[in-house]
Amino acid sequence: MSQTRHVPVMLQRCLDLLAPALQGPAHPEPVVVDCTLGLGGHSEALLASFPTARLIALDRDKEALRLSGERLAPYGDRATLVHAVYDELPEVLERLGVPKVQGILFDLGVSSMQLDEADRGFAYAQDAPLDMRMDQSTGVSAAEVLNTYPPGELVRILRAYGEEKQAKRIVSAVVREREKEPFSNSARLVELIRDALPQAAKRTGGNPAKRTFQALRIEVNGELSVLEQAIPAAVGSLAVGGRIAVLAYHSLEDRLVKQVFAAGAANTAPPGLPVVPERYQPRLKLLTRGAELPTEEEVAENRRAAPARLRGAQRIREEER
């Protein structure tokens, strides 16, 4: 499997955002966490760019850990790879005896490997078993969701996670078809969606199956509920001066990140206090104005970068006990 096709998204910008916390005399042996290791592109760049840094990298996908392990082997014991979901970060750090870290990176969404390996069932462009589990050793598959969830629940998932306006049409077609024969492969689902949508809906926004596949993937992997836990936990794991960078690929993820960062950067004092006590002062400083987007050149080189939204924040104060 070629490593070359994997181009890490907004790589230089991520490194620039994290750099002040990972180099210089104030940080002799910084620890940086890659919460979404994938094929290891960002991790390798972090190790190469910050020679004194120690890396802890998490992934729920055992195949990603195996491939990245080979890629990062030259860095020896500077890299610690852990099979874990990113909301387990506090437990992982405790187990490794690391109280606080200087840098954290999240690259959310599906890794290039999962999209490119046909038999994982993430991609709608090729026929594959409808699996979509990032950790194939646990949980329900996309086929099970389609075949067993009540219609109302399927409509909710497509609307909430796929922002699919035609959710009802798609779900009534799914329910009709699953009674004849359960779903097992992606091509049948793609065809059903094409047939279910009105002409006008097919003309907008790329492949008409894209939103449904996104919704199923988020449901199967519990991505939003995991993220809701993970971003605050990551902020809590940062040392003062530490920095966090998060790449999100759809508005639901980006909104969650934005809310956590905004809450951390706000002062929480009751109105009307002449002096704001320390415990109400902001814990975070925002490092990006809104979400930063990839450049046109980057999108031309790597179309998977197109929907990316990058936000960064710095820890400026401890939690009050």
Side-chain angles (χ1 to χ4, degrees):
M1 176 174 140
S2 146
Q3 298 281 11
T4 52
R5 65 163 176 236
H6 172 60
V7 184
V9 172
M10 295 180 80
L11 177 60
Q12 192 54 49
R13 188 65 191 115
C14 289
L15 295 174
D16 291 346
L17 270 177
L18 296 173
L22 298 178
Q23 58 193 14
H27 312 289
E29 291 182 340
V31 177
V32 60
V33 181
D34 184 345
C35 286
T36 44
L37 172 63
L39 283 177
H42 285 106
S43 276
E44 184 176 41
L46 286 165
L47 287 163
S49 305
F50 307 111
T52 62
R54 175 183 163 202
L55 171 85
I56 298 168
L58 280 51
D59 209 293
R60 59 166 80 178
D61 188 325
K62 288 178 178 167
E63 181 64 2
L65 288 164
R66 185 184 70 75
L67 290 163
S68 289
E70 293 170 10
R71 180 175 190 164
L72 302 179
Y75 295 96
D77 59 5
R78 286 181 58 208
T80 305
L81 310 191
V82 184
H83 181 233
V85 184
Y86 42 65
D87 64 341
E88 299 171 290
L89 177 62
E91 291 80 18
V92 169
L93 293 179
E94 193 177 339
R95 210 164 59 231
L96 295 172
V98 178
K100 295 283 180 187
V101 302
Q102 281 66 47
I104 296 178
L105 174 68
F106 283 86
D107 181 12
L108 303 168
V110 188
S111 84
S112 297
M113 180 193 76
Q114 290 161 343
L115 285 171
D116 292 335
E117 302 303 301
D119 60 359
R120 301 296 290 270
F122 285 94
Y124 36 80
Q126 48 203 5
D127 193 22
L130 275 169
D131 190 317
M132 299 198 195
R133 289 173 299 167
M134 291 183 188
D135 181 348
Q136 291 188 298
S137 64
T138 181
V140 297
S141 69
E144 287 173 77
V145 170
L146 277 177
N147 294 328
T148 64
Y149 276 32
E153 186 64 0
L154 283 175
V155 170
R156 183 192 70 77
I157 288 165
L158 294 199
R159 278 190 181 147
Y161 300 159
E163 300 178 277
E164 174 56 80
K165 294 185 179 71
Q166 305 292 334
K168 273 194 160 161
R169 275 178 185 248
I170 292 169
V171 169
S172 52
V174 164
V175 170
R176 195 170 59 242
E177 285 299 312
R178 77 186 185 185
E179 283 167 9
K180 299 178 196 167
E181 188 194 338
F183 284 88
S184 60
N185 274 48
S186 56
R188 182 175 165 217
L189 177 60
V190 171
E191 196 179 331
L192 173 145
I193 292 166
R194 279 190 201 282
D195 293 345
L197 292 181
Q199 278 309 119
K202 291 183 208 179
R203 284 197 288 270
T204 56
N207 191 311
K210 180 171 141 186
R211 291 180 293 276
T212 297
F213 272 64
Q214 173 182 298
L216 287 170
R217 191 198 84 216
I218 289 172
E219 172 65 18
V220 164
N221 296 292
E223 287 173 45
L224 286 175
S225 52
V226 167
L227 192 60
E228 273 179 290
Q229 308 294 317
I231 300 293
V235 168
S237 302
L238 278 177
V240 172
R243 290 175 165 228
I244 178 170
V246 184
L247 277 164
Y249 293 83
H250 56 77
S251 58
L252 302 163
E253 290 175 340
D254 185 50
R255 200 176 304 146
L256 267 176
V257 177
K258 177 184 176 180
Q259 286 166 350
V260 174
F261 284 8
N267 99 50
T268 54
L273 293 184
V275 176
V276 176
E278 176 71 11
R279 69 177 180 278
Y280 298 127
Q281 300 278 6
R283 300 186 313 281
L284 292 179
K285 180 175 95 178
L286 302 182
L287 299 173
T288 45
R289 293 186 57 160
E292 292 188 5
L293 310 181
T295 61
E296 284 175 24
E297 295 77 33
E298 182 172 4
V299 174
E301 185 186 324
N302 177 15
R303 61 187 173 75
R304 286 183 188 158
R309 302 284 178 272
L310 175 64
R311 292 181 189 270
Q314 180 179 20
R315 187 70 190 248
I316 53 175
R317 197 172 58 80
E318 277 297 354
E319 295 286 351
E320 287 291 315
R321 288 280 171 240

